[in-house]
């Protein structure tokens, strides 16, 4: 199973989804590949936001070695599932899909809800962590 987590900057939300699912999959002995990318290119090569690193560390998940990547259409061929954090991410990824098969790989990470962007609101990092962790547990159960 190959899963790509996508948000806007690839420094706050998708690094958490990437790190948490990778952590849980490894704990369960699952041979999954999990990565993340951003639809925006401002942060390419950077570490995750210090606030995401800190909240993950609090729950013993180390995301500090991740580096931001930019989403591009070559990634459709690599991943089975491309999970996006909000509706704008969904639009930005979907418009780069060229086949129905590629479109079918794209879904909202939370299915009927969005993961709010915590970048401008420090108080959101903790609830965002919790909602991402809970969904990652579900994904392990659903796709294992
Ligand atoms: P993310 O949050 O999409 O969860 O990584 C953001 C990070 C940076 C910016 C926007 C959102 N930015 O505008 O630089």
């Amino acid at each position: 199973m190959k899963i790509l987590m996508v948000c806007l900057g690839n420094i706050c939300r998708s690094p958490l989804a990437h790190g948490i699912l990778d952590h849980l999959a490894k704990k369960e002995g699952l041979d999954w590949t999990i990565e993340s990318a951003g639809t925006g290119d401002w942060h390419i090569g950077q570490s995750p936001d210090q606030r995401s690193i800190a909240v993950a560390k609090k729950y013993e998940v180390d995301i500090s070695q991740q580096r931001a990547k930019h989403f591009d259409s070559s990634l459709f061929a690599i991943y089975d599932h491309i999970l996006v954090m909000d509706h704008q991410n969904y639009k930005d990824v979907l418009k780069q899909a060229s086949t129905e098969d590629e479109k079918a790989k794209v879904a909202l990470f939370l299915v009927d809800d969005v993961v709010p962007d915590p970048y401008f609101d420090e108080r959101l990092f903790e609830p965002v962590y919790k909602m991402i962790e809970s969904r990652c547990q579900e994904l392990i159960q659903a796709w294992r």
Side-chain angles (χ1 to χ4, degrees):
M1 181 76 70
K2 292 190 166 71
I3 301 165
L4 182 69
M5 304 295 189
V6 175
C7 64
L8 176 59
N10 192 207
I11 57 168
C12 295
R13 293 166 292 175
S14 59
L16 287 172
H18 168 181
I20 295 167
L21 190 60
D22 192 53
H23 177 80
L24 294 174
K26 286 199 168 77
K27 212 162 73 178
E28 297 293 325
L30 300 168
D31 184 22
W32 290 5
T33 298
I34 299 135
E35 290 292 340
S36 58
T39 57
D41 62 5
W42 316 285
H43 300 287
I44 294 172
Q46 293 179 12
S47 301
D49 189 287
Q50 288 305 316
R51 298 164 296 179
S52 282
I53 292 177
V55 73
K57 189 173 176 196
K58 181 173 159 191
Y59 296 102
E60 296 173 352
V61 175
D62 181 10
I63 64 167
S64 66
Q65 300 310 305
Q66 294 184 26
R67 295 295 179 265
K69 294 195 304 288
H70 191 206
F71 180 82
D72 72 63
S73 60
S74 70
L75 299 176
F76 282 110
I78 298 173
Y79 295 95
D80 304 302
H81 297 281
I82 297 173
L83 303 181
V84 301
M85 299 296 137
D86 64 32
H87 296 295
Q88 187 62 49
N89 306 152
Y90 188 83
K91 276 191 217 163
D92 290 338
V93 169
L94 210 67
K95 72 186 178 202
Q96 298 185 60
S98 44
T99 64
E100 289 306 312
D101 187 46
E102 288 181 355
K103 285 182 190 166
K105 293 182 176 187
V106 187
L108 278 177
F109 173 75
L110 290 182
V111 188
D112 330 291
D113 203 356
V114 299
V115 181
D117 191 342
Y119 189 64
F120 294 108
D121 187 351
E122 196 122 296
R123 293 166 305 181
L124 289 178
F125 281 88
E126 181 81 25
V128 157
Y129 186 93
K130 289 295 186 183
M131 68 177 75
I132 290 175
E133 184 187 40
S134 159
R135 179 63 182 144
C136 285
Q137 298 278 10
E138 286 180 6
L139 289 174
I140 294 278
Q141 297 310 320
W143 290 343
R144 66 178 310 148

